[in-house]
């Protein structure tokens, strides 16, 4: 796997104690100086590649914690208010623990994929889970980039504290949400900008920091969606593909407060061709160098992508457009908050049919004066 330059940034140490170096894990981008290995177990399948030390300059809106308050703040953001455990926002076929108890029924049966593979960020391959029928067999899984420790514990605590100052709206499947973006009717392909004042001020430094990584150096988000998960509500999100009319090539999500697993599945016909993972895996297999020895139907496969706490995930290419992503209820063991950022599609870009509207959305978004809509 070719190694490319890592995130750009000044080498000198900065006096700001809140900002700290980030650690990159990736499938398509490599840090400037990196050597790594990995553990075959799912929970430890996250090799950290130390990037060249980034001493990031402070931005005006960068979150800070006063000395002595970090531990208290980090404990406070994990507490779930009792009233949110009595209300449900589910509609249609979606359910959570709250409405299931109220209706006196169990969670609706969901089809479980037959064959489970684990994604290894240091190789870009998905490998059959241990003690499964496909243990030791692998296939390439392009389009996933993982950057560990993208924010510090202090920044994480402050971001969630600022989110919790604004109201959370009840959402489907036990989630709560905050939207910073235009109102969109995806079925009719229409949107309204009224009420949209941009991304929140505390995301200014997050967006600036994204630009230090080659995979995101031209990323300009026009929407931020915060989702709040907790095990007491049975929070989850069903397998889905994000819209492509308005949203562009990259989906970027920051995972806060607790680790989880992103489950990827595909309903396409046909089969995936598998290669034997070489001894010493997770050193990267070479695609095409080993003749496929087995195959597995696409519809029976689920790929587990472990998401560490405070990691930034980027989905592109096949992982964005062909593989649905989900968070299962069983993978929410504590409160989790995700902040997902989306960019505009080509239709709203400089050469697109709706370029003027796209420019207006970008100008508003990057003013960082927003409140949840």
């Amino acid at each position: 796997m070719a190694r490319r330059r890592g995130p750009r940034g000044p080498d000198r140490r900065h006096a700001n104690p809140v900002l700290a170096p980030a650690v990159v894990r990736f499938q398509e981008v490599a840090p400037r100086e990196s050597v790594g290995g990995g553990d075959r177990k799912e929970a430890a399948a996250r090799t950290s590649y130390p990037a060249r030390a980034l001493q990031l300059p402070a931005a005006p809106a960068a979150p800070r914690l006063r000395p002595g308050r970090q531990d208290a703040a980090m404990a406070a953001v994990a507490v779930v208010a009792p009233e949110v455990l009595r209300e449900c926002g589910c509609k249609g076929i979606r359910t959570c623990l709250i409405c299931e108890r109220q209706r006196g029924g169990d969670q609706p049966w969901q089809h479980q994929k037959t064959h489970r593979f684990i994604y290894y960020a240091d190789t870009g391959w998905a490998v059959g889970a241990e003690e499964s029928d496909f243990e030791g067999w692998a296939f390439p899984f392009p389009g996933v980039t993982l950057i560990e420790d993208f924010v510090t514990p202090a920044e994480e605590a402050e971001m969630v504290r600022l989110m919790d100052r604004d109201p959370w709206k009840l959402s489907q499947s036990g989630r709560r949400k905050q939207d910073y973006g235009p109102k969109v009717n995806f079925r009719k392909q229409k949107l309204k900008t009224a009420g949209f004042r941009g991304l929140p001020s505390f995301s200014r430094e997050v967006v600036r920091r994204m630009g230090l990584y080659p995979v995101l150096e031209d990323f300009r988000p026009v929407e931020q969606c915060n989702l709040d998960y907790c095990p007491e509500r049975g929070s989850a999100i069903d397998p889905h593909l994000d819209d492509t009319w308005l949203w562009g090539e990259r989906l970027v999500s920051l995972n806060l407060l607790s680790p989880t697993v992103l489950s990827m599945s595909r309903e396409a016909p046909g089969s995936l061709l598998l290669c034997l993972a070489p001894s010493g895996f997770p050193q990267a297999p070479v695609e095409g160098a080993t003749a496929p020895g087995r195959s597995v139907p696409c519809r029976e496969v689920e790929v587990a992508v472990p998401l560490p706490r405070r990691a930034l995930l980027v989905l592109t290419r096949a992982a964005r457009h062909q593989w649905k992503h989900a968070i299962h209820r069983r993978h929410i063991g504590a409160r989790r908050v995700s902040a997902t950022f989306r960019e505009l599609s080509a239709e709203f870009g400089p050469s697109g049919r709706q370029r003027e509207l796209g420019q207006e959305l970008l100008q508003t978004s990057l003013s960082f004066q927003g409140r949840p809509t």
Side-chain angles (χ1 to χ4, degrees):
M1 180 172 59
R3 292 178 179 173
R4 303 179 184 176
R5 289 184 178 271
R8 295 173 279 110
D11 295 326
R12 60 183 177 83
R13 186 174 299 276
H14 197 276
N16 184 356
V18 174
L19 302 179
V23 177
V24 182
R25 295 186 58 226
F26 53 88
Q27 185 265 320
E28 296 170 324
V29 294
R32 188 169 295 159
E33 301 168 1
S34 62
V35 179
D39 192 322
R40 286 289 302 276
K41 296 182 180 179
E42 174 188 347
R46 303 188 299 271
T47 302
S48 295
Y49 286 157
R52 183 176 180 178
L54 298 179
Q55 299 299 335
L56 304 180
R64 280 181 173 270
L65 285 182
R66 292 201 298 269
R69 296 187 58 190
Q70 178 175 338
D71 292 342
M74 293 184 70
V77 296
V79 174
V80 180
E83 58 269 20
V84 306
L85 302 179
R86 295 194 296 267
E87 299 176 335
C88 169
C90 297
K91 299 176 183 178
I93 62 172
R94 308 284 187 254
T95 67
C96 66
L97 283 177
I98 297 171
C99 61
E100 289 164 18
R101 289 168 183 155
Q102 291 172 347
R103 298 170 188 171
D106 297 325
Q107 179 186 16
W109 181 84
Q110 293 183 343
H111 173 68
Q112 299 289 323
K113 298 295 183 179
T114 307
H115 304 295
R116 194 159 183 265
F117 288 73
I118 311 299
Y119 175 76
Y120 285 84
D122 45 359
T123 67
W125 284 61
V127 183
E130 291 184 350
E131 300 182 2
S132 72
D133 291 343
F134 291 97
E135 179 179 359
W137 293 86
F139 65 93
F141 196 75
V144 178
T145 302
L146 197 61
I147 304 172
E148 286 196 23
D149 294 319
F150 186 78
V151 295
T152 68
E155 291 172 324
E156 173 191 50
E158 182 71 352
M159 286 182 68
V160 177
R161 185 187 71 82
L162 292 171
M163 291 178 189
D164 285 343
R165 291 197 312 184
D166 285 320
W168 290 89
K169 293 182 180 179
L170 292 172
S171 186
Q172 301 270 38
S173 302
R175 303 185 305 276
R176 297 189 300 164
K177 67 178 180 179
Q178 294 174 337
D179 286 317
Y180 297 85
K183 297 289 186 182
V184 186
N185 186 321
F186 292 107
R187 185 174 60 84
K188 296 182 178 180
Q189 295 193 345
K190 293 182 178 181
L191 61 85
K192 296 179 181 179
T193 59
F196 176 42
R197 296 173 54 192
L199 302 190
S201 61
F202 57 82
S203 292
R204 183 189 297 270
E205 170 61 17
V206 172
V207 172
R208 190 200 69 81
R209 193 175 301 178
M210 290 177 186
L212 299 177
Y213 295 86
V215 70
L216 292 172
E217 62 184 354
D218 59 346
F219 183 73
R220 297 190 295 169
V222 294
E223 194 239 20
Q224 176 177 334
C225 179
N226 301 333
L227 292 179
D228 177 80
Y229 297 73
C230 82
E232 292 83 359
R233 296 194 304 267
S235 302
I237 191 165
D238 287 350
H240 66 283
L241 291 172
D242 279 41
D243 169 77
T244 56
W245 164 68
L246 179 59
W247 308 135
E249 173 63 19
R250 292 164 291 190
L251 300 179
V252 181
S253 189
L254 181 60
N255 185 53
L256 302 173
L257 296 186
S258 65
T260 190
V261 175
L262 188 75
S263 298
M264 313 278 291
S265 59
R266 187 175 176 183
E267 298 302 322
S271 298
L272 293 165
L273 301 179
L274 307 177
C275 302
L276 269 176
S279 59
F281 194 86
Q283 293 180 358
V286 178
E287 187 173 357
T290 305
R294 296 182 69 180
S295 64
V296 57
C298 287
R299 292 174 176 170
E300 296 181 5
V301 169
E302 182 173 85
V303 178
V305 181
L307 298 183
R309 182 176 178 174
R310 295 186 293 276
L312 190 78
L313 172 75
V314 185
L315 297 181
T316 61
R317 301 198 293 158
R320 158 75 168 100
H321 299 288
Q322 298 175 16
W323 289 81
K324 294 181 178 181
H325 54 277
I327 300 285
H328 295 316
R329 183 183 292 182
R330 65 182 180 271
H331 292 141
I332 299 297
R335 187 186 181 194
R336 171 186 183 253
V337 171
S338 68
T340 298
F341 301 83
R342 297 178 175 92
E343 64 184 342
L344 289 170
S345 67
E347 181 170 339
F348 295 84
S351 303
R353 186 171 59 88
Q354 302 198 58
R355 57 185 176 274
E356 292 181 2
L357 178 55
Q359 185 59 37
E360 177 189 344
L361 289 170
L362 273 173
Q363 214 167 19
T364 301
S365 170
L366 300 181
S367 69
F368 296 100
Q369 299 177 7
R371 297 292 300 275
T373 56

